[in-house]
Amino acid sequence: MSVLEIKSLTHSYTDGSPFINDAVSDVSFSVEKGEIIGIIGHTGSGKSTLVQHLNGLLKPTSGEILFESENIWQKPKEIRKIRSKVGLVFQYPEYQLFEETVFADIAFGPKNMGLSGDELTRQVEEICRLIGIKEEYYSKSPFDLSGGEKRRVAIAGVMAMKPEVIIFDEPTAGLDPKGREEITEIIKAYRESTGATVIIISHSMEDMAEIADKILVMNKGKLEMFDETDKVFSNGAHLKEIGLNVPTVTKVFEKLYDMGIDVEKDVFTVNKAVEILTELKGRDNNA
Amino acid sequence: MLKDITIGQYYEGKSLLHKSDPRMKIIWLIALIVLIFLAQNMYALGFAAISVIIAIVISRVPIKMYLKNMKTILPILLFTAVINLFYGEGEVLFSLFGKINITDGGIYRSVFMALRILLFIFISSVLTYTTTPNDLTDAIESLLSPLKFIGLKSAVHTLAMMMTITLRFIPTLIEEAEKIMNAQKARGADLESGGLTKRVKALIPILVPLLISAVRRSYELAAAMECRCYNGGEGKTRMKKMRLSLIDLFLSLACIIIGAGIITLNILL
């Protein structure tokens, strides 16, 4: 069953000027439960505007967003409920921390949902355990943590609401390789334990190839492609046309292919590459 | 919402007022505000109103822009008008609830006061629409420069720099505030409902991060300025020098005529 269905969504900014810009124009797609969707696109292609519609932060100029077959704007007064079901982690979420302790900050979301007492404590602790925030951190000030730790706490703050769909807007931006890997692990861990649907905006084609089931490509506010990851990345020429790219490892294999070496061109992840190269080496040794 | 705030909103143009010296524009603005205050009767104020309208016309900024500013000022305008309605003397036109008398003097006063405020807003907008914030601060720095003769040399530059930085960061902070608001809303924060205390409390999750980011930005800015050898205006030269031109002479004459007109109308009528 589709957990999210977007029907010809259009969003125009007016900004008081006579120009009307369609930040998102006539976008339709649906997301199945448990999928990991990657959204890629050039800067300003409408990715962030698109995802802010999914939890009701922005209201569509026209079109509909259905969560579990129900239009989220049917009861505008209850839009806050949808925000606990569709969690959104913004870019640089560490800048939204405000509480005196890590624990209190993570508890902000679930508290807004109406949880309190033991139930609240349990839910926060559960998330902390899941994504590796140790107990000695609970009473620390979030402002004393390192950049990567802050981001982990901020992400925990959204996960603590136990959303069924969780959206990340460039979750790994500005982190070092280790930090990036850790964030990816957190996302995987959350999905495995809750079965949640995950939507990730990213500029890293490598990360996308590694983690996403399907990829949605945005270009100038329009939906350019929405397909399985392999199919999208096998369309390298088209991606390059709209200012995007394929994973580096794919480029390597394209080069190898062009050099006349007998390999597949459609290699998107490092693991797959290792597999093929090992096999190739085996063949060479046998020959 | 937050985006409706217009502070120092410059409207690109090539009118006489855009081209004139920002220092003179500040002087004219101060002069006109004093003159509007001096206008004692409807004729003098009417004359001032015509002058303001002419200024708006030659600014070549669409009237829509001026009316947009009105939205925020409307409550103050209405409040002044209503309060003054009850403070008039003269013939009683009608009574409210049998106790409060509305007189013709009251109505006159109410219209007079409202018109006066309206003129202040419009004439000030003429300045902000035709002058970039940077030009404004440069002009203020230049106008305050006589202070250096009484030993406040660095104070003038510091003040001007502080104003420039403030103006520069208003849009940045608005953008930042909106981002934080969205982030907290995404965590289920309720900013729109509840009583006063609840609403004030709901601001904490926005104000704390905003303040922290403002402090962080100021450190970064200070470091960036030091990297570019900022030393507080010592030996600073300007790319754009402000010079008086014929336009300024012409517009100054116009201001003097307006002044003379208002004072004459005050005395004669």
Side-chain angles (χ1 to χ4, degrees), chain B residues 100-111:
Chain B
I100 307 163
N101 293 333
I102 305 290
T103 63
D104 58 349
I107 291 176
Y108 180 84
R109 211 184 142 94
S110 161
V111 172

Side-chain angles (χ1 to χ4, degrees), chain B residues 2-254:
Chain B
L2 284 175
K3 275 186 187 133
D4 293 335
I5 301 173
T6 58
I7 297 163
Q9 206 185 43
Y10 174 66
Y11 189 90
E12 190 91 44
K14 283 188 175 135
S15 73
L16 282 185
L17 282 171
H18 283 87
K19 281 184 210 149
S20 57
D21 190 311
R23 289 171 298 181
M24 291 312 289
K25 279 190 272 190
I26 292 177
I27 294 173
W28 300 329
L29 177 70
I30 294 168
L32 284 172
I33 285 177
V34 171
L35 285 169
I36 292 167
F37 249 119
L38 285 178
Q40 291 303 322
N41 56 40
M42 254 326 172
Y43 300 101
L45 198 66
F47 185 72
I50 291 167
S51 320
V52 171
I53 290 168
I54 292 173
I56 288 175
V57 171
I58 61 174
S59 75
R60 298 250 196 110
V61 176
I63 190 77
K64 206 176 80 186
M65 299 292 294
Y66 290 99
L67 294 178
K68 211 174 78 184
N69 267 1
M70 287 281 304
K71 251 195 295 183
T72 38
I73 209 73
L74 205 62
I76 299 173
L77 201 67
L78 285 176
F79 182 74
T80 318
V82 170
I83 288 292
N84 277 292
L85 208 53
F86 306 122
Y87 288 92
E89 280 153 15
E91 198 183 328
V92 176
L93 294 177
F94 54 90
S95 299
L96 291 174
F97 316 115
K99 279 180 189 156
I100 307 163
N101 293 333
I102 305 290
T103 63
D104 58 349
I107 291 176
Y108 180 84
R109 211 184 142 94
S110 161
V111 172
F112 191 85
M113 289 298 178
L115 187 57
R116 193 187 253 179
I117 294 181
L118 211 57
L119 292 183
F120 287 154
I121 304 299
F122 279 154
I123 197 69
S124 313
S125 309
V126 171
L127 176 72
T128 49
Y129 279 139
T130 59
T131 321
T132 62
N134 281 338
D135 277 352
L136 267 184
T137 43
D138 281 355
I140 290 170
E141 185 175 357
S142 167
L143 287 173
L144 290 179
S145 60
L147 286 179
K148 66 183 167 210
F149 295 118
I150 55 167
L152 289 172
K153 191 173 181 219
S154 62
V156 174
H157 173 80
T158 309
L159 196 72
M161 184 49 98
M162 278 165 63
M163 284 177 57
T164 312
I165 292 173
T166 309
L167 286 172
R168 159 66 185 75
F169 276 93
I170 286 169
T172 312
L173 287 179
I174 288 176
E175 201 178 296
E176 187 99 15
E178 266 179 359
K179 262 190 208 156
I180 295 169
M181 270 166 84
N182 275 336
Q184 305 300 25
K185 273 196 204 159
R187 294 211 277 165
D190 184 4
L191 307 174
E192 280 113 10
S193 65
L196 187 67
T197 29
K198 204 180 153 217
R199 280 190 192 213
V200 171
K201 265 192 181 164
L203 283 178
I204 295 173
I206 293 159
L207 289 181
V208 172
L210 189 62
L211 207 66
I212 289 169
S213 107
V215 172
R216 184 175 45 86
R217 273 180 202 285
S218 72
Y219 276 120
E220 283 171 7
L221 180 68
M225 282 166 82
E226 266 174 19
C227 288
R228 297 187 216 173
C229 303
Y230 176 74
N231 62 352
E234 199 71 41
K236 180 186 172 194
T237 55
R238 291 183 185 282
M239 191 168 81
K240 274 196 290 183
K241 280 222 159 104
M242 289 179 282
R243 278 206 187 85
L244 295 176
S245 65
L246 268 178
I247 302 173
D248 298 304
L249 182 70
F250 173 70
L251 289 171
S252 297
L253 271 174

